[in-house]
Amino acid sequence: MSTTLPLGWEDDLALTQQAVWQLLCAAVDAPDDPLRTPVLGTVHLQGAEPAPMLRTVVLRAADAASGRLSFHTDARSAKAAELARNPQAALLFYSAVLKLQIRVEGAVSLHVGDATAREQFDHIAAASPHTLLPYLGAAPGTPLDGLPPVLTRRSWRAADLAPAWPCFAWGVLVPRRIETLVLDPRGHRRARIDRSGTQWTAHWIAA
């Protein structure tokens, strides 16, 4: 992790908020950064009782100005169905190097077949086509007799990925709350950052 944080950021609320977005924005383009692969928590309706569901996703975009975090997923997946029924979700990030946990709570908007999804799909098809390969196969969770043939192909053109387009969903999480926890030998630091419109309010809370 090469991101340089302000000195003493963990002891200052404003710097903590700045550090969160600095780290997440940097993680988008850093494949080896653990903050690039958060755990997404959704709500699954199991019968009459809601149940939590957890999956790892890849952080594809982070925008500090608008306060948004984005990922993509298969529109046929249980995850997409859960978010369509209940958009409330959370992302959990952890860096063992910084001993930092970031929990982000908010609502997810799923873009399927619209202009936002098209823009992102075309960008990914050109820059990272391999990440779209799962959308060329059977729906997530479908039993298979072996590895799908699509995985054995070594090169792809953007045009080859056209059949993946209907299955592509771009998820955008708009946070309403961010909590940070720094595991510090001097004593853990925990902060809560709440959003109201375009304004953020931060305060310390007990760890």
Side-chain angles (χ1 to χ4, degrees):
M1 183 178 300
S2 59
T3 304
T4 302
L5 298 176
L7 186 64
W9 66 271
E10 65 272 26
D11 295 327
D12 183 283
L13 282 172
L15 292 181
T16 294
Q17 182 175 335
Q18 176 185 327
V20 165
W21 287 105
Q22 183 178 338
L23 289 166
L24 296 183
C25 288
V28 170
D29 296 316
D32 295 329
D33 192 328
L35 296 178
R36 191 168 183 254
T37 49
V39 173
L40 172 70
T42 59
V43 179
H44 172 66
L45 291 178
Q46 193 169 33
E49 294 296 326
M53 296 294 288
L54 302 174
R55 290 101 163 174
T56 299
V57 296
V58 178
L59 183 66
R60 298 294 180 182
D63 187 338
S66 64
R68 298 184 178 198
L69 302 169
S70 302
F71 59 92
H72 64 78
T73 189
D74 196 314
R76 303 168 295 173
S77 66
K79 178 194 320 124
E82 289 157 9
L83 289 170
R85 286 192 297 265
N86 185 343
Q88 299 306 311
L91 286 169
L92 181 68
F93 304 81
Y94 183 71
S95 168
V97 174
L98 296 173
K99 298 293 190 292
L100 170 65
Q101 173 183 280
I102 303 170
R103 188 172 74 233
V104 184
E105 303 171 12
V108 173
S109 297
L110 280 183
H111 296 269
V112 180
D114 62 12
T116 296
R118 183 82 249 183
E119 178 183 2
Q120 298 302 330
F121 181 88
D122 289 345
H123 171 74
I124 294 167
S128 305
H130 65 282
T131 66
L132 298 176
L133 297 186
Y135 308 152
L136 293 173
T142 301
L144 301 173
D145 293 330
L147 288 177
V150 70
L151 298 182
T152 63
R153 187 168 172 178
R154 299 305 178 193
S155 62
W156 294 87
R157 298 171 302 167
D160 298 328
L161 298 168
W165 161 243
C167 304
F168 178 82
W170 182 255
V172 180
L173 187 146
V174 178
R176 67 171 178 273
R177 172 172 293 171
I178 298 174
E179 284 195 11
T180 62
L181 174 65
V182 180
L183 303 179
D184 194 312
R186 301 170 299 160
H188 304 331
R189 272 87 167 135
R190 185 178 176 189
R192 176 178 293 162
I193 308 165
D194 291 310
R195 181 181 196 170
S196 178
T198 59
Q199 301 300 313
W200 296 87
T201 303
H203 53 275
W204 297 114
I205 59 177

